[in-house]
Amino acid sequence: MITSDNSILKNILNLLYPHKGKVILSLTFSLIISVLCVITPSLSRIFIDEGVLPGNISLVATFSLFIILLSILNYILLLLQSLLHINIQNDIQLDLSCMSFNHLIKLKMKYFEENGSFTIITSVNMAIQEICQIANEQFLNIILELTKMIGGAIGLAILDIRLSLIVVIMLFSRFLLMKHLQNRCNGIFEKLLSTNIALSSWYSDILNGIRVIKLWNLNKSNEYCEFIKKDQSENKKYNILLLFEDLISSIIEVLLTYSVYFVGTIFIIDNSLTMGSLLAFLMYTSLVSSPVYSLVQLGYQLSKIKPAIKTFTDFLNLEEECECIEGSSKEIPPNHINEICFSHVCWQYEKRLVLTDVSFSISRHEKVAIIGQNGSGKSTIIDLLLRFRTPSSGNILINGTNILDLDLISYRNLFSVVDQESFLFNSTVEENLLSSTFPPEGANQAPQWLLQTLQGLQNGLSTIVGQDGSLLSGGEKQKVAFLRGLLKKNSKILILDEPTSNYDVESEKNFNDYITNQFSYDYIIVVTHRPDILKKMDKIIILSEGKVVRVGTYDELSQENLLSKYLD
């Protein structure tokens, strides 16, 4: 498991450990390839000095075939190794993606309210993409590169120590220059990452507010262009540095090659070096030179992976919903929820007290309405009951047990919820009913007026609803959500939050009659500002500025003239 407390090396090892079999196989391939790369220059020296120059055709033919076979074996091993790396990278990406998604859906609701979904997805996916680079060629081939470098260095020293000094000087100069450029690239990359995250957040805000932008004819083009200009400016600097890096690397490579040629030719003339040895020396130089570039690139990749791991671990450290208080894991008694009680409940958002000392109780088979003006705390009470929020103080009890002591999944299975702005997935009506059977199991017990409306759609229950129900009318969307709530199995508590705000008069009457004659739920809780449904309720709770003002029946509150005062 990767954590922010671990070093980057330990995090990388933790990510690779589940795939240790493939990693070990890749390292084995690396060692074999390294051996092939180290012995090839020596064979080439013999090929030139003892075969080509003396005109030994038999030796030339034999060594040509042998070197060709070694090269083919080398390429096959490289191909197999690349396939292994692709599989490891895909496996790591799958593991991290599933881990992040499972964590995402368990986060507290406040995280989604404070951060746009576009920002969440973009930042986490960018981090995963960078982290997965630990399975690319530069990381998993580091053993191969180091082995080739060591073997090449030994070969250079054996062939000619004088030429080796030229190689060391040139490669050390190359390393220092590239390291300097890479450090500058790292700083620019961090700015690019920050700009991209800011742009993602801005995009999310724009897309969520597209209706307001259109209605008010807001011009956001200038803001967008400023983001793009800033991004392009940093990208330009970054690409220019990369060009300079390639240019300097190429120049040093040319200087190194022709310096060796020049000095080597002098040594050949005075018979202190053979032609084959010079060719072998150049091949060993390539073995030493290539890893230098790879090591610098590796440092660059690590510098990008480090902030990516921090982003990912910071995301994983975000607080999840509490499954239950530590040490508790009690199941809900399925048929014995005798009372729901709010006891001196307060809830504070930042420094603002939203609910203050809220206390009331609901008995089994009671139908309860919660009313109050906008901002009075109605939705907060529902969110607290559903455990989307946690009381700042006080307790919410079911049968005398704090709901935070109860297993979260079992607890939420008690509820069927129909929100005012119920979300619909971009699929069919049937799939939005979240049923595994067709027609949906229990649909024959649903009210006929509701089924007739949905079956009357263009393709009935197979109608595509669009993004969040955009292809349906407001009333149709609410009816799909209502039927979805009614079809949820084994729920004991039905919560309806302004469920008829988009209904026509006839549909609202049908709804009110259905709720009046509905006795299959232990509790029905309705958040509403519609006076007609209040007459059907056993109890009405009035909220004002986060406090319970009064609890009573419709007749009691009407006599006190409280209903008209607190209905929106």
Side-chain angles (χ1 to χ4, degrees):
M1 179 65 182
I2 60 174
T3 67
S4 55
D5 296 329
N6 291 340
S7 66
I8 185 169
L9 179 59
K10 188 172 182 179
N11 278 323
I12 289 173
L13 292 175
N14 286 340
L15 285 168
L16 292 175
Y17 184 76
H19 317 284
K20 56 184 179 295
K22 293 176 182 177
V23 173
I24 291 171
L25 185 57
S26 174
L27 293 177
T28 303
F29 286 162
S30 292
L31 291 174
I32 297 172
I33 293 168
S34 298
V35 171
L36 294 176
C37 289
V38 169
I39 66 174
T40 300
S42 296
L43 294 175
S44 297
R45 181 186 63 79
I46 298 172
F47 176 79
I48 296 294
D49 289 343
E50 300 180 19
V52 175
L53 295 179
N56 188 339
I57 300 301
S58 175
L59 188 144
V60 168
T62 301
F63 269 69
S64 294
L65 180 61
F66 189 55
I67 292 172
I68 289 171
L69 290 175
L70 288 180
S71 297
I72 292 173
L73 176 60
N74 183 51
Y75 290 132
I76 290 173
L77 290 176
L78 285 171
L79 174 62
L80 293 175
Q81 190 178 52
S82 295
L83 293 175
L84 273 176
H85 294 171
I86 291 171
N87 287 332
I88 294 171
Q89 196 167 35
N90 287 344
D91 290 344
I92 290 174
Q93 184 172 12
L94 178 63
D95 291 345
L96 294 180
S97 297
C98 291
M99 185 192 305
S100 65
F101 180 78
N102 290 334
H103 177 64
L104 182 69
I105 60 177
K106 293 179 181 179
L107 290 177
K108 289 193 170 183
M109 288 299 294
K110 68 177 183 179
Y111 181 72
F112 298 96
E113 295 164 356
E114 295 171 359
N115 299 273
S117 57
F118 195 79
T119 305
I120 298 170
I121 294 168
T122 301
S123 60
V124 173
N125 283 344
M126 282 178 63
I128 290 174
Q129 290 297 325
E130 288 298 335
I131 293 170
C132 287
Q133 295 307 306
I134 65 169
N136 69 11
E137 301 289 333
Q138 289 171 339
F139 272 91
L140 294 182
N141 276 353
I142 189 62
I143 300 298
L144 170 62
E145 297 294 334
L146 290 174
T147 308
K148 284 163 60 178
M149 178 184 281
I150 294 169
I154 293 171
L156 290 176
I158 292 173
L159 286 172
D160 196 289
I161 194 66
R162 298 165 297 177
L163 284 176
S164 300
L165 291 175
I166 296 175
V167 174
V168 170
I169 293 169
M170 289 288 188
L171 291 184
F172 186 67
S173 301
R174 179 186 181 188
F175 177 81
L176 291 178
L177 286 169
M178 291 179 65
K179 187 66 178 174
H180 173 70
L181 291 173
Q182 287 295 345
N183 287 336
R184 295 193 62 184
C185 283
N186 294 344
I188 294 174
F189 178 78
E190 290 181 4
K191 291 180 181 178
L192 278 171
L193 188 62
S194 176
T195 301
N196 284 329
I197 292 174
L199 179 59
S200 297
S201 178
W202 183 85
Y203 254 130
S204 178
D205 199 39
I206 291 298
L207 294 177
N208 289 333
I210 192 67
R211 183 180 176 87
V212 175
I213 289 172
K214 288 178 179 292
L215 287 173
W216 289 84
N217 293 317
L218 299 178
N219 186 352
K220 294 291 183 177
S221 298
N222 291 337
E223 288 183 45
Y224 178 73
C225 288
E226 286 302 315
F227 270 113
I228 298 302
K229 286 178 181 177
K230 186 176 181 181
D231 184 69
Q232 285 181 335
S233 175
E234 297 301 330
N235 257 316
K236 182 178 178 181
K237 294 176 187 176
Y238 183 76
N239 289 325
I240 288 173
L241 283 174
L242 290 181
L243 287 174
F244 270 106
E245 181 183 307
D246 289 339
L247 177 64
I248 291 171
S249 181
S250 299
I251 290 173
I252 293 177
E253 193 75 33
V254 170
L255 287 173
L256 174 60
T257 301
Y258 284 93
S259 296
V260 171
Y261 269 129
F262 179 75
V263 178
T265 301
I266 294 173
F267 292 161
I268 290 172
I269 292 171
D270 64 14
N271 294 320
S272 62
L273 191 70
T274 66
M275 182 67 73
S277 295
L278 177 59
L279 176 62
F281 192 92
L282 288 168
M283 295 176 73
Y284 280 128
T285 299
S286 176
L287 290 181
V288 175
S289 175
S290 176
V292 170
Y293 179 77
S294 297
L295 287 173
V296 174
Q297 288 296 314
L298 179 63
Y300 170 58
Q301 288 293 336
L302 284 171
S303 69
K304 293 202 296 183
I305 289 172
K306 187 175 181 179
I309 288 178
K310 184 179 184 306
T311 298
F312 189 75
T313 53
D314 285 349
F315 169 73
L316 292 182
N317 288 333
L318 291 172
E319 190 176 4
E320 293 184 355
E321 292 180 315
C322 182
E323 295 287 342
C324 59
I325 291 177
E326 188 174 354
S328 300
S329 184
K330 304 172 184 176
E331 294 294 325
I332 305 289
N335 297 310
H336 301 91
I337 306 174
N338 298 317
E339 184 183 51
I340 299 173
C341 178
F342 275 63
S343 176
H344 305 288
V345 172
C346 297
W347 188 75
Q348 182 174 320
Y349 180 72
E350 293 181 347
K351 295 183 179 181
R352 184 171 68 91
L353 202 58
V354 179
L355 292 180
T356 305
D357 197 31
V358 170
S359 296
F360 61 84
S361 62
I362 307 173
S363 300
R364 190 178 182 191
H365 294 310
E366 278 190 327
K367 297 172 183 175
V368 177
I370 301 176
I371 68 171
Q373 297 175 343
N374 288 336
S376 59
K378 304 186 296 293
S379 296
T380 303
I381 282 180
I382 299 301
D383 284 348
L384 287 168
L385 184 59
L386 295 173
R387 287 177 62 178
F388 287 139
R389 307 185 192 277
T390 303
S392 302
S393 63
N395 298 300
I396 304 173
L397 310 171
I398 283 185
N399 290 356
T401 300
N402 191 325
I403 62 172
L404 298 179
D405 291 336
L406 303 170
D407 176 73
L408 182 60
I409 294 176
S410 299
Y411 178 76
R412 289 222 176 116
N413 282 336
L414 290 172
F415 295 89
S416 279
V417 182
V418 182
D419 292 318
Q420 180 180 5
E421 299 295 335
S422 292
F423 179 82
L424 297 185
F425 297 99
N426 188 12
S427 55
T428 64
V429 171
E430 176 201 357
E431 289 168 338
N432 270 285
L433 298 178
L434 306 182
S435 175
S436 59
T437 60
F438 186 83
E441 195 173 318
N444 56 336
Q445 279 83 42
Q448 286 302 307
W449 60 271
L450 189 58
L451 287 175
Q452 287 172 0
T453 300
L454 300 182
Q455 290 169 347
L457 296 172
Q458 184 176 6
N459 296 308
L461 295 181
S462 298
T463 301
I464 299 292
V465 304
Q467 188 73 39
D468 193 17
S470 60
L471 300 180
L472 303 180
S473 69
E476 290 168 342
K477 180 180 174 181
Q478 282 194 315
K479 288 171 185 175
V480 172
F482 184 39
L483 182 56
R484 178 170 66 190
L486 296 180
L487 294 179
K488 184 176 180 182
K489 296 179 183 179
N490 303 320
S491 56
K492 305 296 179 184
I493 304 168
L494 178 62
I495 294 179
L496 306 166
D497 188 355
E498 301 287 4
T500 63
S501 58
N502 291 305
Y503 279 18
D504 55 37
V505 175
E506 183 179 357
S507 295
E508 185 169 6
K509 181 180 181 302
N510 289 330
F511 173 86
N512 291 345
D513 291 340
Y514 178 80
I515 294 300
T516 301
N517 299 306
Q518 179 57 251
F519 299 102
S520 59
Y521 291 97
D522 288 350
Y523 299 87
I524 295 179
I525 301 173
V526 183
V527 175
T528 186
H529 66 277
R530 307 270 187 159
D532 289 345
I533 190 65
L534 297 181
K535 299 174 184 178
K536 318 290 185 180
M537 298 292 104
D538 300 308
K539 182 184 293 183
I540 300 171
I541 300 170
I542 300 177
L543 292 176
S544 178
E545 297 180 351
K547 299 178 181 178
V548 175
V549 175
R550 182 79 162 83
V551 178
T553 64
Y554 178 83
D555 291 336
E556 291 171 346
L557 299 177
S558 294
Q559 290 175 5
E560 299 174 25
N561 295 319
L562 290 174
L563 293 180
S564 57
K565 179 179 179 181
Y566 289 103
L567 285 174
D568 289 341

